[in-house]
Amino acid sequence: MSENTSNAIPATLPLRNDLIGEEPYGAPQLDVPVCLNVNENPYAPDPAVCATIARRVGEIAPTLNRYPDREHIALRHAFSDYLARESGVRLVVDQLWGANGSNEIMLQLFQAFGGPGRTALGCDPTYSMYPEYARDTFTGWKLAHRNADFTLDADAAIAAIHEIKPSMVVLTSPNNPTGTPLPQADLERILDVCDTAEVAGAAEGVHPVVVVDEAYVEFRNPGTPSALELIGKHPNLAVSRTMSKAFAFAGARVGYLAASKGIIDCVRIVRMPYHLSAVTQAAALAAFEHTDEQLSRVAHLREIREQTANWLATQTYKGQPLAVAESASNFLLFGGHFDKRDRIFDELLKRGVLIRVVGPDGWLRVCMGTDDEMARFREALVEAMRAVEAE
């Protein structure tokens, strides 16, 4: 069973010419015992968290005939308190912005800083939604290739910045789908260049915005700095975060942006009116009341990642050890030489384990689940590889 499904669109509909032949983005949502394909936190919120969510939503329910606070001030204060605790960086409300998941944050950034005649630069392999944000906003999309081990090739990225003159440079830390961390020294090199770099088609004195997507940053190793620490020094830096991953809140759809007031004001121009519902704001505030509980499994998932990486490195496929990309996230890219990765995916699925076919050819990705789920993954992967080898 493959990951992609095709939905035929009637030829009589006036779909934009550049969208003809495109398919909706999305990982499979299948009813299987072990789902390890979309990098969720596998642990459900504690009952106390659920009770607080219910209480806060109940409190605002009688006001749902009115529009919500379109500036979500209380939630932005909560973002500020959380980041001060999590990363040691205190930002004011004017430096923070929320949206429906970090996907909407990224789309708003492309809406504000992309558009016709503009180009965004990424470093592949990277998150497959970035070119779709570019497509949807009529922004050009160019790539600077990473090193063979998936680390950022800062020299190649800097050369591309000078050549392409992008309005946006999009970096991911940790990277998706590889999990590779972004060293602060490399980020500072990019920021220093972008502080003075030109933007094609823009006025003199306009410089690129550097977007750092930190969707998985809470899974980084302790002591690793966040890009948030550089916001005060670089006004063209925007850092995207989410509550979906480490914070175990994927179903609530809450992402947020940390940046200079200038960048936040630019994003406020393109946001839809009242884009964050009162229910979403209430649920997020409730979750922040229980930050300890929401993040309680992060250290364990980090340990499971390291244990799984070590185990994968001991496995072989067709006589060769599996490669495992360095990861600071809650997932691992592994394989490296799977000549039939779709078949391995299918064999895993037959055994009730769903992972992801993503990234460069020859690789597969698995996110960290519960202890029982990871035990089942290990067992099923060995069986799947042996089945494919025997074909």
Side-chain angles (χ1 to χ4, degrees), residues 35-268:
C35 291
L36 304 173
N37 69 324
V38 287
N39 305 338
E40 297 159 324
N41 188 321
Y43 297 102
D46 288 346
V49 182
C50 297
T52 303
I53 292 172
R55 173 181 60 79
R56 277 194 173 261
V57 172
E59 288 171 354
I60 60 95
T63 71
L64 290 179
N65 60 311
R66 303 295 185 185
Y67 287 112
D69 174 11
R70 65 172 174 257
E71 301 298 325
H72 51 283
I73 298 299
L75 184 53
R76 290 157 79 182
H77 278 294
F79 293 148
S80 176
D81 290 341
Y82 171 69
L83 292 178
R85 170 181 172 171
E86 193 276 331
S87 294
V89 178
R90 171 64 72 176
L91 301 171
V92 300
V93 166
D94 285 345
Q95 294 175 296
L96 294 160
W97 184 252
N100 293 285
S102 59
N103 296 101
E104 187 177 30
I105 289 292
M106 296 299 298
L107 182 60
Q108 289 175 342
L109 288 166
F110 273 79
Q111 289 174 314
F113 302 112
R118 297 287 180 86
T119 300
L121 175 68
C123 299
D124 69 327
T126 193
Y127 185 35
S128 58
M129 274 299 296
Y130 296 154
E132 297 201 17
Y133 303 139
R135 178 200 68 192
D136 293 347
T137 57
F138 301 98
T139 307
W141 177 248
K142 298 291 185 180
L143 293 167
H145 302 304
R146 290 174 172 268
N147 294 314
D149 62 356
F150 305 131
T151 55
L152 182 73
D153 187 337
D155 291 335
I158 289 169
I161 291 167
H162 289 307
E163 177 185 354
I164 296 167
K165 298 179 173 58
S167 60
M168 299 172 64
V169 177
V170 183
L171 304 173
T172 314
S173 182
N175 189 42
N176 181 10
T178 65
T180 317
L182 174 63
Q184 200 84 329
D186 287 346
L187 174 56
E188 290 194 78
R189 286 187 63 196
I190 301 295
L191 286 165
D192 287 341
V193 169
C194 288
D195 281 345
T196 58
E198 299 177 8
V199 173
E204 185 177 352
V206 173
H207 309 299
V209 170
V210 177
V211 180
V212 179
D213 186 346
E214 288 192 340
Y216 300 93
V217 74
E218 284 97 341
F219 293 105
R220 69 196 186 279
N221 294 325
T224 304
S226 162
L228 294 169
E229 296 182 12
L230 303 175
I231 287 176
K233 182 180 176 182
H234 297 279
N236 279 27
L237 170 62
V239 181
S240 174
R241 289 282 193 110
T242 184
M243 296 178 72
S244 293
K245 307 301 182 180
F247 218 85
F249 221 48
R253 309 306 302 127
V254 181
Y256 53 106
L257 175 67
S260 65
K261 181 180 183 298
I263 288 178
I264 300 300
D265 286 342
C266 290
V267 167
R268 290 175 63 239

Side-chain angles (χ1 to χ4, degrees), residues 341-390:
R341 67 173 180 175
D342 288 317
R343 286 288 300 117
I344 294 174
F345 172 88
D346 290 341
E347 289 294 329
L348 281 165
L349 193 57
K350 289 178 184 178
R351 293 162 173 79
V353 178
L354 177 63
I355 64 170
R356 192 77 185 271
V357 178
V358 70
D361 289 342
W363 297 81
L364 291 167
R365 192 188 71 191
V366 61
C367 72
M368 300 302 101
T370 65
D371 292 358
D372 288 344
E373 289 172 336
M374 298 312 295
R376 181 58 192 141
F377 161 73
R378 292 191 295 272
E379 180 182 21
L381 178 63
V382 171
E383 294 174 358
M385 289 192 299
R386 300 297 89 84
V388 174
E389 286 176 326

